[in-house]
Amino acid sequence: MSQDFKQAALDYHEFPRPGKISIELSTSAETAKDLALAYSPGVAEPVRAIAADPEAAYRYTAKGNLVAVISNGTAILGLGDLGPLASKPVMEGKALLFKRFANIDSIDIEVDAESPQAFIDTVARIAETFGGINLEDIKAPECFEIERTLIERCNIPVFHDDQHGTAIVTAAGMINALELAGKKLEEASIVCLGAGAAASACMKLLINMGAKVENIYMIDRKGVIHSGRDDLTAEKAAFATETDKRTLDDAIDGADVFLGLSGPDLLSPEQLKKMAANPVVFACANPDPEIRPEVANAVRDDVIMATGRSDFPNQVNNVLGFPFIFRGALDVRASAINEEMKAAAVKALAELAREPVTQEVLIAYGLESLEFGREYILPKATDSRLLGRISYAVAQAAIDSGVARLPMPEHYPIRSSAELAN
């Protein structure tokens, strides 16, 4: 980043007032009667109602549209373990995105916990405050235990976006890219460079969507994860295959797909040349991908390329998923975000990219035209149709899979974000 951009980022977070979110009143508080209703003595009535029926909290408080964005700061973006306080700008940013794209109220919570169990206990004890919990920037392998235990202990959706948000958007783009390449997910040879939280979730979801585990070669710092290794965590062991491939150079030979969730410049032009025809390359390390698009395109004119960056085509961007997934889950009061709901989000996202692009998107990105193809396999973040399509698909999947506690809302599918402001 240039010095000017760095300063602009600092100024954005400092002015006109520090931070990116605030709390606003949702009801009148002007008169003596207003104050008597809002607090003492009137507030006693909803207190009694909730004590008699906990579900009344959704009727008389903001719980049903409130998501906590929670981190311990152990894996902040690509910056590493910088502590909970340093994660606050990121968590505030997530809250901003929830509000901007799905009108979900959100508050950031940074937890200084001495252990995963202390973090779990802290979050579990405050969970009743919220309608959902978005976990963020928690390192692997701790994040797996944390999420799994919190899902068991909480009766609201708990969703680690670094895992599942990344996986959902990646899977949607991958399905479309493979179709353009003339290949099928269930037959594709997939190389995944990286074995952390996002990589594990991506591979699990792709398998759920049809990929074969025997066709997946996951690679960590020690090389290919194979059945002969005795140093694997439970999460990594799930992807251990019987193979004589030991390095990225071995695995990439003839591969249909490369998914990078690792670090910059780790896929060489020579390795890209060894991939099968019409290779699909998702180089998602941020800010510097495993191979830059201009380098990849210079080596292979048949490559279908995606990155995590907004300045290249086909950005794998979690904002395409999590606001709308939570919107659908909250609106049917789902007790969890399960595999069926994730798969529904994948399909809705992939299908939207195949539809004609609206004028609002073209204007937002300064384009004259854009259509489904090698440089457009995922919708753009400004596409207002995302809200209605994904929230409806997720809500329906929650109902069909038995985790919804409310029927489909009468105003679904949502036609515009303006409906949510009323």
Side-chain angles (χ1 to χ4, degrees), residues 126-206:
I126 64 173
E128 281 199 342
T129 307
F130 307 100
I133 292 172
N134 184 107
L135 300 174
E136 194 80 15
D137 288 0
I138 302 169
K139 70 179 181 181
E142 295 173 5
C143 63
F144 301 116
E145 175 194 353
I146 287 170
E147 185 193 39
R148 182 167 53 246
T149 306
L150 284 173
I151 288 172
E152 292 171 356
R153 290 180 61 175
C154 301
N155 65 351
I156 58 172
V158 177
F159 185 81
H160 185 200
D161 190 50
D162 297 317
Q163 290 186 62
H164 311 299
T166 301
I168 287 164
V169 179
T170 297
M174 195 71 70
I175 288 169
N176 281 344
L178 285 169
E179 177 172 313
L180 291 166
K183 301 178 181 183
K184 296 180 179 179
L185 180 60
E186 57 267 27
E187 298 173 356
S189 173
I190 301 171
V191 173
C192 180
L193 184 60
S200 178
C202 284
M203 292 304 102
K204 286 179 181 177
L205 185 55
L206 286 174

Side-chain angles (χ1 to χ4, degrees), residues 216-357:
I216 293 173
Y217 302 97
M218 184 179 280
I219 301 169
D220 64 8
R221 289 182 175 87
K222 295 183 180 180
V224 172
I225 293 173
H226 60 85
S227 55
R229 286 178 54 174
D230 59 3
D231 60 344
L232 301 176
T233 63
E235 288 74 25
K236 291 182 181 181
F239 304 103
T241 56
E242 291 191 17
T243 179
D244 57 1
K245 299 178 188 291
R246 294 293 182 265
T247 67
L248 172 60
D249 206 52
D250 296 336
I252 204 71
D253 192 5
D256 297 298
V257 172
F258 171 86
L259 172 59
L261 293 157
S262 50
D265 304 320
L266 294 179
L267 179 68
S268 70
E270 291 71 27
Q271 289 168 333
L272 176 55
K273 288 179 183 178
K274 296 171 66 175
M275 293 184 70
N278 294 313
V280 174
V281 174
F282 280 39
C284 296
N286 259 326
D288 300 310
E290 285 80 3
I291 186 169
R292 291 182 64 86
E294 64 269 24
V295 174
N297 289 321
V299 174
R300 299 286 299 260
D301 60 8
D302 59 345
V303 66
I304 302 174
M305 182 92 189
T307 72
R309 292 175 54 142
S310 60
D311 53 346
F312 296 124
N314 300 326
Q315 183 188 19
V316 179
N317 186 347
N318 285 22
V319 80
L320 296 174
F322 72 85
F324 319 115
I325 293 166
F326 267 95
R327 180 76 277 157
L330 292 174
D331 288 347
V332 294
R333 207 173 295 168
S335 59
I337 296 174
N338 60 24
E339 295 306 310
E340 292 87 348
M341 294 159 74
K342 296 171 195 174
V346 170
K347 293 174 182 176
L349 191 54
E351 289 170 2
L352 182 55
R354 304 180 191 196
E355 297 183 15
V357 177

